[in-house]
Amino acid sequence: MYTPLKRGNLPVVQYNPVNCSKCLSYLNPYCAVDFASKFWTCPFCSQKNSFPPNYAGMDPQHLVSELFPENTTIEYRTPISTNAVPPVFLFVVDTAMKHQDEILHLKKALLQALQAIPSNCFVGLITYGANVQVYELSYPHCRRCIVFSGETEVTPAGVQTLLGLHPVKPGTSHAAQLNNKYILPLESILENLTSIVEELQIDPQQFKKGEERKACATGVALSVALAIMESIFPKIGGRIINLSAGPCTVGPGVVVGRDLSEPIRSHYHLRKEEAKYVTAAIAYYNKLAARAVAQGHAVDIFSASLDQTGLLEMHPLANNTGGVLVSTESFIHEIVKQSLRKLFQKDDDGHLSMKFNGTIEVIQSKELKVCGAIGHLQSLGKKNAYVSETAMGIGGTNAWKMCTMDPNTSYAFYFEVVNAHNNIIPADNYGLVQFRTNYIHPSGERVQRVTTIAKTWSPPSAGLNALLPGFDQEACAALIARYAVFKAENEEAQPIKFIDRHLIQFIHAFGSYTKDAPESLKYPPQIAIYPEFMFHLRRGNLIQIFGTSPDETAYYRHYLLRESVSSCLIMIQPALDSYSFDVDEPQPVLLSLSSVLPDKILLLDTFFHVVVFSGETIAAWRKAGYQDQEGYENFKQLLEVPVQDATMILMNRFPMPMYVVCDQGSSQARFLLAVLDPGKTGATLSSPNAVGPAATTSQEIYSDDVPLSVFMEHLKKKVVSYEG
Ligand SMILES: [Zn+2]
């Protein structure tokens, strides 16, 4: 798992990297340097290379930055080119909502965003309902917009003609971009754009008999937005930010009809192949996503609706471009406003923290081949001898592209060891991987961040368990979760079967036991909590689709494919803390029904939901108002601390999670109960037959939702009888 833009104190140099003449890897701390003869030996391919002349003064006391042992990551910056165009933000705003409150809050969110965007950035506005309006921002005296029918697709050439655009060639000067009326530097249009946003109205619509959903032309709106961006800002970093109030109901990209008697597709409809729009809609949005990727433009979708809006069909727009999905029930909620503010957050140097037009390339030692990557990136189709024939995720390449990324964006990479068993690697050789991430900083600088990782090899004679000291079970859980989700989405594989097979084989390889004696199975400490991660993964919403909508599934999986190991772990196995009078600090407790106690408050963090749950007694005391009485200050504090801790999570996370406050026995408590292990007595919580006999195959641990204890017993049985 690699987070290229992870924040930290990094060495930054203003020159170009020195590369190996044979394998092109960059000079790094693992290179052997001969100071006398000014040569360095490449640790990837053993090539001897001479240093360039400007390294002549180097000696062991005066090393260049890239050779310091601690500088395994280093940043190379190239000065800003005079052609640098500031980032571009095109808002594509759905005004086909039902309530005035909704549009009021939508406008607030937009105005806040305009405040957060640096004034030199290019900004444009498109609104849509039944039709699509593109606003002229250069003309302050009266409102002018060009209207496109929402029913029919317009070709990019058609959009150019209708808007009078003069297509710009990539790499031409900044002035070319100013020659349009629709997307202009914020400083020159702020006043005009602010008034337009303030005057936005709900899309006026006519309803025919039987039509109850609003006409909403999301498909055409996004297509027009892409055409404008392609035409004026080709290969220039930018985002199309879609604020959506409902599903696309007209024109290309329809996800549901306007008749309310026709429900939007569910997982049930998908399984039964009764979702009549889904194939065409996915194909349509995939096509749009490919256009965005080709030009380096990201697409974000902020969805605010009680019902689904089509994230299932549209999510490739965000996933393939590095854009974000944010989903909530209404624009009135703080979630859209805060997440939009956070999208435009700045680094310590005052620049936007998002980066654009990125590529990432991996180079590794000859004993390794790269199988693929999983995350919000796309293949650049660069194949060489070090690319494995076995694809895992997006494979068949050693380089990928991402239109945008931010300091949280993390990518999973998968490698295989291809060293022949009888080929003994010298003890002083490392297995190396070099990640080279190139991107455009919002300032216009081109930056290359290089991380070189080295691991020592373990000889075959040492046995598999010699690998355990270097094993990170948390990273492994995140990697396997991403792979399971990737398979579920792209290969229609059954993710539970895959997880179970993997877990059985894994424990078979690293656990110690006597054949056919389940009670003898012991886990080495380095893998001790791994089975529990897999237990929670296979019953959570990343894998299970029961009780969730296709949009929710797409949304949850979007973040699993985007976030760092620590965030992925919260999604896999939510964090549960208990607060009580007995202890000062909150205690992490088991995700089990046994942690629910009358005199405790629980704080649950699933990444998407933050739940403060009061036990019965606590709730009763609170309702009786003890916290406001003298002598009960302790109780008052006990109530406050988890709320403060929850607030911290809400403020710091992107996207802002949904906040639930509930008491034991209330209906909202389901947010907590759904993720708890039902335990031995509570099996009926999720399925009446959970502990009954269930038929399993040799590759499956249990086919039903069962308590952790039952799962672990079955795992032991499967492992000790595993035949390979
Ligand atoms: Zn080399």
Side-chain angles (χ1 to χ4, degrees):
M1 291 286 285
Y2 183 55
T3 309
L5 301 181
K6 192 171 175 170
R7 290 195 173 99
N9 256 339
L10 283 184
V12 176
V13 298
Q14 305 281 349
Y15 48 80
N16 287 322
V18 171
N19 61 265
C20 167
S21 60
K22 189 172 161 198
C23 74
L24 303 181
S25 74
Y26 293 154
L27 187 64
N28 63 74
Y30 304 101
C31 297
V33 176
D34 181 339
F35 290 99
S37 56
K38 305 285 180 223
F39 274 104
W40 60 281
T41 308
C42 172
F44 289 87
C45 71
S46 308
Q47 172 78 4
K48 264 182 103 178
N49 296 286
S50 56
F51 280 104
N54 53 330
Y55 283 62
M58 194 175 59
D59 62 45
Q61 280 71 47
H62 301 91
L63 286 177
V64 287
S65 291
E66 54 266 50
L67 287 175
F68 277 98
E70 64 272 28
N71 290 353
T72 50
T73 297
I74 186 165
E75 207 168 275
Y76 299 91
R77 295 198 170 207
T78 319
I80 301 169
S81 94
T82 47
N83 281 347
V85 179
V88 188
F89 302 106
L90 176 54
F91 289 92
V92 179
V93 178
D94 180 355
T95 55
M97 53 253 302
K98 288 220 167 80
H99 304 291
Q100 282 301 333
D101 270 4
E102 288 279 323
I103 196 153
L104 264 172
H105 284 272
L106 167 79
K107 291 198 257 187
K108 271 191 191 163
L110 270 173
L111 293 172
Q112 270 185 4
L114 295 183
Q115 294 297 321
I117 297 174
S119 62
N120 65 333
C121 294
F122 282 82
V123 177
L125 176 69
I126 292 175
T127 61
Y128 65 96
N131 298 309
V132 176
Q133 295 86 28
V134 181
Y135 290 81
E136 275 194 18
L137 302 177
S138 60
Y139 193 68
H141 307 295
C142 65
R143 304 284 167 259
R144 282 174 60 163
C145 62
I146 316 295
V147 182
F148 292 82
S149 160
E151 300 275 351
T152 40
E153 196 178 356
V154 202
T155 60
V159 173
Q160 279 174 16
T161 311
L162 284 164
L163 295 180
L165 300 176
H166 308 288
V168 175
K169 284 205 181 75
T172 44
S173 86
H174 190 159
Q177 269 86 29
L178 293 169
N179 187 20
N180 85 86
K181 302 172 188 163
Y182 312 99
I183 304 183
L184 290 161
L186 186 59
E187 56 209 355
S188 67
I189 52 157
L190 181 60
E191 209 177 314
N192 196 17
L193 182 55
T194 303
S195 329
I196 293 173
V197 169
E198 282 168 349
E199 290 163 20
L200 285 181
Q201 299 288 326
I202 291 181
D203 191 52
Q205 297 205 354
Q206 320 241 311
F207 289 84
K208 289 188 207 134
K209 197 168 179 295
E211 287 180 344
E212 290 142 292
R213 279 196 189 90
K214 290 225 162 190
C216 185
T218 321
V220 172
L222 287 169
S223 168
V224 169
L226 283 165
I228 302 175
M229 292 286 282
E230 285 161 354
S231 177
I232 316 174
F233 300 96
K235 314 274 182 198
I236 287 168
R239 313 181 83 105
I240 291 169
I241 302 167
N242 176 215
L243 301 179
S244 160
C248 180
T249 55
V250 293
V254 164
V255 297
V256 67
R258 292 190 65 189
D259 188 342
L260 264 183
S261 67
E262 173 190 10
I264 192 163
R265 78 284 170 282
S266 63
H267 280 299
Y268 174 83
H269 295 121
L270 292 171
R271 204 166 47 241
K272 296 271 172 193
E273 298 190 354
E274 287 171 7
K276 64 178 176 183
Y277 301 106
V278 78
T279 310
I282 288 177
Y284 179 74
Y285 292 110
N286 270 328
K287 197 178 72 187
L288 295 190
R291 279 170 61 188
V293 169
Q295 298 299 337
H297 299 142
V299 183
D300 305 304
I301 301 166
F302 287 72
S303 155
S305 166
L306 270 174
D307 201 356
Q308 300 181 73
T309 57
L311 292 183
L312 167 73
E313 291 83 352
M314 293 165 70
H315 79 272
L317 281 164
N319 287 27
N320 297 1
T321 64
V324 297
L325 295 183
V326 173
S327 176
T328 180
E329 291 176 351
S330 157
F331 284 110
I332 298 169
H333 286 200
E334 198 51 29
I335 291 180
V336 170
K337 271 171 265 168
Q338 187 181 311
S339 302
L340 202 48
R341 265 202 309 273
K342 268 210 170 319
L343 183 71
F344 292 107
Q345 75 180 354
K346 314 237 173 25
D347 279 338
D348 295 341
D349 60 5
H351 288 290
L352 291 170
S353 60
M354 62 180 83
K355 312 288 186 267
F356 295 101
N357 266 320
T359 61
I360 191 162
E361 186 184 2
V362 296
I363 288 185
Q364 66 280 346
S365 17
K366 60 182 184 300
E367 300 84 4
L368 293 168
K369 283 193 177 188
V370 61
C371 301
I374 298 180
H376 293 164
L377 34 65
Q378 290 287 288
S379 170
L380 277 173
K382 280 179 75 176
K383 207 165 175 178
N384 62 24
Y386 300 108
V387 173
S388 171
E389 293 300 323
T390 318
M392 286 183 80
I394 304 170
T397 182
N398 77 333
W400 296 263
K401 169 178 186 168
M402 40 283 201
C403 303
T404 185
M405 50 184 172
D406 66 37
N408 286 346
T409 321
S410 305
Y411 307 100
F413 291 92
Y414 301 82
F415 297 90
E416 66 173 337
V417 179
V418 291
N419 188 50
H421 231 58
N422 52 5
N423 177 36
I424 303 298
I425 303 169
D428 59 345
N429 270 24
Y430 289 112
L432 291 131
V433 179
Q434 191 167 71
F435 294 97
R436 294 141 59 135
T437 314
N438 259 286
Y439 60 87
I440 304 286
H441 189 273
S443 68
E445 268 180 308
R446 180 155 274 290
V447 180
Q448 177 154 218
R449 199 177 265 205
V450 179
T451 297
T452 312
I453 297 166
K455 297 277 176 199
T456 47
W457 291 105
S458 173
S461 57
L464 271 181
N465 280 23
L467 300 175
L468 285 172
F471 181 71
D472 180 338
Q473 48 193 335
E474 300 187 340
C476 185
L479 285 160
I480 289 295
R482 281 200 185 192
Y483 190 42
V485 160
F486 184 89
K487 284 175 92 70
E489 301 246 293
N490 296 282
E491 297 166 16
E492 291 183 11
Q494 290 186 355
I496 293 204
K497 279 204 170 133
F498 162 73
I499 294 167
D500 285 358
R501 194 169 59 233
H502 152 75
L503 184 59
I504 294 167
Q505 289 171 349
F506 180 78
I507 301 297
H508 170 76
F510 291 99
S512 61
Y513 60 88
T514 313
K515 179 126 181 77
D516 295 327
E519 66 287 353
S520 68
L521 178 63
K522 299 264 183 305
Y523 301 112
Q526 296 90 346
I527 65 167
I529 52 175
Y530 190 69
E532 207 174 323
F533 287 146
M534 293 299 110
F535 167 76
H536 288 289
L537 172 64
R538 72 202 281 291
R539 71 187 295 271
N541 284 337
L542 296 167
I543 297 298
Q544 296 288 348
I545 54 174
F546 178 77
T548 57
S549 70
D551 275 16
E552 284 172 313
T553 303
Y555 183 56
Y556 297 145
R557 290 177 175 177
H558 172 85
Y559 283 96
L560 181 77
L561 299 186
R562 180 178 199 275
E563 292 292 315
S564 66
V565 169
S566 56
S567 294
C568 288
L569 271 192
I570 297 174
M571 296 176 216
I572 294 167
Q573 180 172 328
L576 188 64
D577 282 333
S578 174
Y579 298 72
S580 67
F581 286 115
D582 335 331
V583 278
D584 290 341
E585 291 289 310
Q587 301 293 310
V589 289
L590 289 176
L591 267 181
S592 154
L593 210 54
S594 63
S595 300
V596 176
L597 295 168
D599 58 344
K600 310 257 180 193
I601 301 177
L602 296 174
L603 173 60
L604 173 78
D605 180 5
T606 73
F607 191 85
F608 304 101
H609 299 95
V610 171
V611 183
V612 175
F613 171 97
S614 299
E616 273 169 354
T617 312
I618 301 272
W621 288 356
R622 193 195 62 235
K623 283 174 191 153
Y626 281 110
Q627 66 278 15
D628 302 324
Q629 292 177 26
E630 215 169 297
Y632 289 89
E633 290 77 11
N634 269 359
F635 181 57
K636 187 175 182 203
Q637 205 194 350
L638 178 64
L639 292 181
E640 284 170 355
V641 176
V643 173
Q644 287 161 3
D645 291 352
T647 309
M648 285 301 289
I649 300 173
L650 297 178
M651 280 172 43
N652 290 323
R653 180 159 306 150
F654 183 95
M656 186 184 177
M658 183 177 164
Y659 183 40
V660 179
V661 179
C662 60
D663 294 334
Q664 192 170 355
S666 70
S667 72
Q668 293 283 79
R670 69 181 186 278
F671 285 100
L672 172 69
L673 298 177
V675 301
L676 295 185
D677 168 24
K680 278 208 173 78
T681 53
T684 49
L685 260 185
S686 43
S687 157
N689 300 320
V691 288
T696 61
T697 68
S698 64
Q699 303 286 298
E700 228 176 339
I701 295 167
Y702 219 104
S703 58
D704 233 327
D705 185 19
V706 293
L708 178 63
S709 54
V710 176
F711 176 81
M712 296 298 262
E713 286 307 311
H714 276 257
L715 173 61
K716 285 181 179 174
K717 284 184 197 150
K718 297 287 181 188
V719 168
V720 299
S721 60
Y722 184 69
E723 300 288 352

